[in-house]
Amino acid sequence: MIDSGNLRTRLRSDLTEVHATLDSQISAFDLRTRTGFASFLRIQHGGLSALHHAGAGDLTRDAIADLQDRARLDLLTLGVPPLSHAETLPDDLHPLAVDYVIAGSRLGSQLLHKRWLSSDDTAVRAASAYFSAPGHIDLWKAFCGRAAALPAEGPESDRILRHAAAVFALFGHHAAAETQERALPHV
């Protein structure tokens, strides 16, 4: 049931399952190991690259470019190539949908950062660009203010919800591709 309060509440309630699924996919990668951390970075780089290429986001546009660069630098440090999967996003991707996922992910990255910090692998710890990025709590607060001012129901809110689900699916697609690649025997 839709909370008629505001868009922020609706996004949180309607996308709980999609968000939890992606969190579960990401949590499957052990950030303390080179392989697990490289997979995580490839997922992030792939999704962020698609969003950057699409010129997505409003509040988070600069953060997307910065995080994409940081993930690329860490992949270079680890000697691992980025993912090379093409993905499609809605042509009219709503900026608030992107802002919801990216600004919110910065909050979730704090837990992942702690996992990464517990690594005793010097190669993993040398790849520190991604987790040294700013937390961007200001972006989350700005998003919350904007979304709280919008109604939960209506065509624009429905579109933002669909597009936020598409952004979660984008990262989920990359996580699934990375999981599949890791499962393949390497000769």
Side-chain angles (χ1 to χ4, degrees), residues 7-8 58-59 95-96 99 141-151:
L7 177 63
R8 179 179 177 227
D58 181 17
L59 298 167
L96 276 180
D99 292 343
K141 288 178 181 178
F143 165 80
C144 289
R146 288 184 183 182
L150 294 172

Side-chain angles (χ1 to χ4, degrees), residues 26-184:
I26 297 295
S27 293
F29 299 100
D30 185 351
L31 303 185
R32 297 169 301 169
T33 67
R34 184 180 183 278
T35 301
F37 187 46
S39 291
F40 168 78
L41 291 169
R42 286 163 52 102
I43 294 162
Q44 297 306 308
H45 184 269
L48 292 164
S49 294
L51 292 172
H52 180 71
H53 180 64
D58 181 17
L59 298 167
T60 57
R61 185 170 292 149
D62 291 340
I64 289 168
D66 178 54
L67 291 168
Q68 174 195 0
D69 287 344
R70 288 171 182 272
R72 182 185 52 77
L73 287 171
D74 284 345
L75 286 168
L76 283 171
T77 299
L78 293 172
V80 176
L83 283 172
S84 59
H85 297 281
E87 55 283 308
T88 58
L89 290 165
D91 290 335
D92 59 344
L93 192 61
H94 199 290
L96 276 180
V98 175
D99 292 343
Y100 172 67
V101 176
I102 299 302
S105 76
R106 299 308 301 147
L107 300 174
S109 72
Q110 293 172 7
L111 175 63
L112 297 174
H113 181 238
K114 288 178 184 176
R115 290 181 192 161
W116 171 80
L117 272 176
S118 69
S119 177
D120 58 7
D121 185 320
T122 56
V124 168
R125 293 297 299 275
S128 61
Y130 187 85
F131 281 126
S132 65
H136 293 298
I137 191 71
D138 56 320
L139 298 177
W140 178 248
K141 288 178 181 178
F143 165 80
C144 289
R146 288 184 183 182
L150 294 172
E153 299 182 54
E156 182 178 26
S157 295
D158 292 346
R159 179 174 157 232
I160 292 168
L161 183 80
R162 281 192 316 275
H163 289 186
V167 175
F168 278 122
L170 167 71
F171 284 91
H173 168 78
H174 285 293
E178 189 62 18
T179 298
Q180 183 177 14
E181 183 168 315
R182 293 290 173 221
L184 295 174

